[in-house]
Amino acid sequence: MSGSVRQPGESGMMMQCRMRNAKRGMSSLQFRIPDSECNNSAGFTYIALLTAIVIMGILLASTGKYWQSVAAREKEEELLSRGDQYRRAIERYVNAIPGRRDYPRNIDDLLADNRTAKAKRHLRRKYQDPVTGGEFEIIRDLTRGNRLIGVYSASGKSPFKQAGFPEEYRDFEGKRSYSDW
């Protein structure tokens, strides 16, 4: 076989290296460490692959942080929504019987108000704290017979929302943790 005929699938650079080896008296079957000229791109693909993997890792990490903060913001909104449902349920319970301003003893009283002949539901169901995944902590008023006056999250995490609360929640502005809400 002639040294100047290109083999199937052989690049021009590979053909030049094969011809150079033939001039030196080496057959294509002998083991030879190629000259740097013949193999000048040997490590480029490896370096490019490593670079691509590092870039993908950085992008995945930043994407993960972004989605983590999105999920935390959604939990925060859910916390405000559930807390508001408890606030409104307590308000409805207190105002359910005209002339009588009794506060509920516990959350079960909000689920089934049996103070009248026809039981009322002021709260659809007992909600979990979306931030901690557990139950809400209960705020009691000792001056009203240790009655339930509110709920709060036990989480010590810092809230994203620091301002722009509705009027009834203006006290939440600038608080350092959900448990301060």
Side-chain angles (χ1 to χ4, degrees), residues 79-152:
L79 175 68
L80 288 169
S81 172
R82 291 179 183 182
D84 190 57
Q85 289 181 39
Y86 274 108
R87 182 189 64 80
R88 289 180 184 193
I90 293 169
E91 195 174 276
R92 282 191 299 270
Y93 183 93
V94 169
N95 297 325
I97 301 175
R100 217 173 134 187
R101 298 194 44 88
D102 291 333
Y103 280 82
R105 291 170 294 174
N106 51 40
I107 293 175
D108 293 332
D109 286 349
L110 298 173
L111 297 171
D113 183 2
N114 295 320
R115 295 178 298 166
T116 60
K118 184 179 178 189
K120 292 182 182 179
R121 291 182 65 89
H122 301 287
L123 189 64
R124 290 183 185 176
R125 65 185 181 101
K126 194 173 186 177
Y127 294 103
Q128 298 289 315
D129 178 351
V131 179
T132 64
E135 293 193 12
F136 279 101
E137 297 294 320
I138 295 175
I139 303 171
R140 296 196 176 274
D141 187 355
L142 298 176
T143 63
R144 292 188 173 114
N146 201 26
R147 296 291 182 129
L148 170 70
I149 60 169
V151 296
Y152 69 95

Side-chain angles (χ1 to χ4, degrees), residues 7-27:
Q7 302 289 324
E10 183 178 52
S11 69
M13 180 64 82
M14 290 172 68
M15 187 176 95
Q16 288 176 0
C17 289
R18 189 171 45 79
M19 289 174 54
R20 187 177 300 118
N21 288 342
K23 284 181 186 176
R24 292 180 180 162
M26 299 181 72
S27 74

Side-chain angles (χ1 to χ4, degrees), residues 16-42:
Q16 288 176 0
C17 289
R18 189 171 45 79
M19 289 174 54
R20 187 177 300 118
N21 288 342
K23 284 181 186 176
R24 292 180 180 162
M26 299 181 72
S27 74
S28 61
L29 297 175
Q30 287 180 311
F31 177 73
R32 165 110 165 89
I33 298 175
D35 295 333
S36 62
E37 297 171 6
C38 294
N39 198 12
N40 60 0
S41 65

